[in-house]
Amino acid sequence: SLVKNFYHHCSCDSNSDGSNGQPYINATQTKAIVSLGVQMRSYCSIRLILVRRFDSSETTFQAFISSINTQIATCDPTSIARVDDLSSLDRIISELGKTVTYCAYVTNSAMFYSTNYNSIAKGCVTIQIAFYTTVSGYIKSESNSPIPEVTVTYNIGGISGTVKTNNAGYYKITVQTTSIKTSTTTATITPSLTSGGLQHRFTCTGYSGCKAIDITIPFNDRTYKIERQVQHAKESTVDFTDESTVVITGKAILVNTAQYCTGNQPCFLPGVEICPYEAGNNALLSTCTKTSTLDGLYQIAIPIGASVDLKPRYTSFNKSASIEPKVIQILEIGANVVNKDFTVFTTFQVDITVAGGTCKKKLGENTVLEITMPSFCPSY
């Protein structure tokens, strides 16, 4: 009776796809997990057994008992999904790079399917176990600001490529390959970035395998990479710090002098002190500097990613100069900054008497004076 119902309703002997009741099975590896998809493809099967074959040994590791009533009612061959976790240490060592076969067997003694699952009605798939590893981390400035768009070049067991940090400064490298046959291999991770004409300098202090890319470069100018062993089915973390310094440049300009100078280049005032403070407070980020007597230029080195308040001051004849703006604020500096100029508004009145002879007799009413300031201006 049971046999007749099956046969009449869904046809046990031959499915429309020509499988003749043979189960379908596929296998894909993601990380250290093999995912198995199985479709019974027979309305007569009462029991499904999955078998794993490796090095001539065979293991039954997943069993599924189907419902005959459900199958008769729907004529829908049962599908299931199972996983094989390869992440245990003994399997990492013994199975990496090897070929593993997964088979699905169906039985139904009442329908004349064999009760011995190793004889008929089986479907098999073979997969080579691939090496899998990830390396990830953050790249940030010394002030903990994320550094985006850093190119991270990697070579893991001969597999090369690049990734970039996102807006949070995060990067992730994933390698899955059958070409690596050992459970450990060498990984080289090298960050690089050029922005605004600045070649960034990265360090990896505290991580094993942290090495200078070029040891002939002075110590404070070196940039570093990671060269270390990574393991199959393991995730590694490596963070880098961008220890680059950006340079801010500008001048202290004398107000209303450009009109008298060649090329409308204003005169500058040397000796103006510029101090860099952390934005929003009075903590110095680096030492103060003064505008040059040669070209009026100041240069201040700031750790990349820092936010800075630049404050000027100048005193002459016990008088503090009026300088605007009083503060130049730059947030999260990521590259060299130029033309951050201050304007000096303070002027002094100078009384000049033009006289001749030892008696200092006044010489007329229309004396013309030419004033030059060779130290402060190209011409004035």
Side-chain angles (χ1 to χ4, degrees):
S1 169
L2 178 62
V3 174
K4 181 177 180 181
N5 286 338
F6 261 110
Y7 191 85
H8 174 74
H9 188 62
C10 298
S11 177
C12 292
D13 291 341
S14 179
N15 290 352
S16 60
D17 60 6
S19 63
N20 292 321
Q22 183 182 31
Y24 171 80
I25 182 171
N26 67 353
T28 57
Q29 181 182 344
T30 304
K31 299 183 179 181
I33 300 293
V34 175
S35 299
L36 303 169
V38 183
Q39 187 178 46
M40 293 177 69
R41 298 201 304 185
S42 170
Y43 307 114
C44 307
S45 305
I46 192 172
R47 190 179 186 205
L48 173 67
I49 299 174
L50 296 182
V51 171
R52 183 176 182 280
R53 291 177 175 173
F54 172 69
D55 279 350
S56 302
S57 63
E58 188 172 272
T59 304
T60 303
F61 71 104
Q62 297 277 11
F64 176 81
I65 307 299
S66 61
S67 167
I68 296 178
N69 293 332
T70 299
Q71 290 178 14
I72 293 175
T74 63
C75 287
D76 180 19
T78 301
S79 297
I80 63 170
R82 291 291 185 269
V83 297
D84 188 14
D85 190 346
L86 309 176
S87 60
S88 63
L89 181 60
D90 59 333
R91 298 187 68 181
I92 288 174
I93 295 174
S94 64
E95 299 181 14
L96 177 63
K98 303 294 182 62
T99 297
V100 178
T101 300
Y102 297 92
C103 292
Y105 299 87
V106 292
T107 64
N108 186 334
S109 56
M111 291 302 302
F112 308 108
Y113 276 44
S114 173
T115 56
N116 177 5
Y117 66 79
N118 200 29
S119 58
I120 61 170
K122 67 180 181 180
C124 296
V125 63
T126 297
I127 186 172
Q128 186 177 6
I129 304 303
F131 178 93
Y132 169 85
T133 194
T134 66
V135 180
S136 62
Y138 287 89
I139 301 180
K140 297 185 177 183
S141 68
E142 291 182 281
S143 59
N144 206 37
S145 298
I147 309 296
E149 293 299 312
V150 178
T151 298
V152 182
T153 303
Y154 64 88
N155 185 297
I156 299 179
I159 306 299
S160 300
T162 61
V163 296
K164 289 200 174 205
T165 55
N166 61 17
N167 289 335
Y170 179 76
Y171 75 92
K172 185 174 183 179
I173 300 164
T174 300
V175 169
Q176 182 168 310
T177 177
T178 57
S179 66
I180 300 175
K181 308 298 184 182
T182 56
S183 59
T184 62
T185 191
T186 301
T188 302
I189 314 296
T190 308
S192 62
L193 177 65
T194 300
S195 61
L198 173 69
Q199 185 78 35
H200 291 239
R201 187 173 76 88
F202 299 97
T203 61
C204 43
T205 305
Y207 288 93
S208 63
C210 185
K211 298 180 179 181
I213 293 176
D214 186 351
I215 61 174
T216 65
I217 296 176
F219 181 79
N220 289 336
D221 295 328
R222 294 176 186 174
T223 189
Y224 290 77
K225 64 181 178 180
I226 283 287
E227 190 172 295
R228 63 190 296 184
Q229 294 293 299
V230 293
Q231 290 185 324
H232 168 54
K234 301 295 181 183
E235 298 184 357
S236 303
T237 299
V238 175
D239 297 328
F240 290 90
T241 301
D242 191 340
E243 293 192 357
S244 311
T245 53
V246 295
V247 177
I248 306 171
T249 59
K251 293 183 177 182
I253 296 170
L254 292 168
V255 69
N256 295 330
T257 55
Q259 59 186 314
Y260 301 109
C261 296
T262 304
N264 286 327
Q265 294 296 317
C267 297
F268 60 84
L269 181 61
V272 177
E273 187 176 55
I274 312 295
C275 293
Y277 297 91
E278 289 183 10
N281 61 56
N282 287 322
L284 276 172
L285 277 172
S286 62
T287 57
C288 300
T289 189
K290 290 185 177 182
T291 55
S292 168
T293 58
L294 297 177
D295 55 11
L297 195 70
Y298 73 86
Q299 294 185 337
I300 295 180
I302 300 294
I304 195 167
S307 297
V308 63
D309 287 340
L310 299 178
K311 299 181 181 181
R313 63 187 177 192
Y314 182 79
T315 302
S316 179
F317 296 103
N318 297 318
K319 183 177 182 179
S320 294
S322 173
I323 304 176
E324 296 293 338
K326 291 180 172 56
V327 178
I328 292 179
Q329 186 175 86
I330 312 172
L331 300 178
E332 297 184 354
I333 306 171
N336 293 334
V337 181
V338 298
N339 299 327
K340 291 301 179 181
D341 297 336
F342 295 90
T343 301
V344 181
F345 285 86
T346 298
T347 59
F348 292 85
Q349 178 176 317
V350 180
D351 293 327
I352 300 173
T353 298
V354 181
T358 57
C359 62
K360 298 184 180 179
K361 190 72 175 177
K362 188 175 182 181
L363 301 180
E365 300 293 335
N366 296 300
T367 306
V368 178
L369 300 179
E370 181 182 58
I371 301 174
T372 61
M373 302 174 67
S375 296
F376 301 164
C377 305
S379 64
Y380 185 82

